[in-house]
Amino acid sequence: MSDSGIARASLATHPEAELDDPRLPETIVAAARGIAERTGVDLVEIEWRAGGLAVAVRGPDITAIGLLAELRRSTDRWHRDHGGGPLWQDGSTDRDPNA
């Protein structure tokens, strides 16, 4: 956590995610704001950018990570349920299955 008490974290979109719908970023940002409000997280900054989403929250690093974990879980499920593939990278492509 930084000296100012602001923790930052980000999610990377899946390389094969269908991101053509211009409403998609609005939907994801709205979902993040809703999760933060429901859970009492002080969401200081949120930014959709090419390749992902970044947030800054007031509190420890685990708060930012937890917010994004819930956002990733819920929006990935929503995206798959509406005919899209995976929305977020999960790190599985970086792992060696034989390791």
Side-chain angles (χ1 to χ4, degrees), residues 12-93:
T13 54
H14 193 278
E16 297 173 11
E18 299 279 335
L19 304 173
D20 297 334
D21 186 343
R23 296 172 300 172
L24 185 64
E26 294 171 6
T27 302
I28 292 168
V29 168
R33 290 185 194 282
I35 292 166
E37 184 176 325
R38 281 192 314 276
T39 58
V41 172
D42 184 3
L43 184 58
V44 176
E45 183 180 332
I46 185 165
E47 179 185 9
W48 176 266
R49 51 187 165 191
L53 178 83
V55 298
V57 302
R58 192 167 318 282
D61 292 342
I62 193 69
T63 303
I65 294 166
L67 173 69
L68 289 184
E70 177 58 19
L71 179 69
R72 180 175 162 247
R73 184 196 63 76
S74 64
T75 56
D76 199 60
R77 185 182 64 221
W78 166 81
H79 193 251
R80 288 173 189 264
D81 288 350
H82 287 87
L87 184 56
W88 305 108
Q89 289 187 31
D90 65 4
S92 64
T93 56

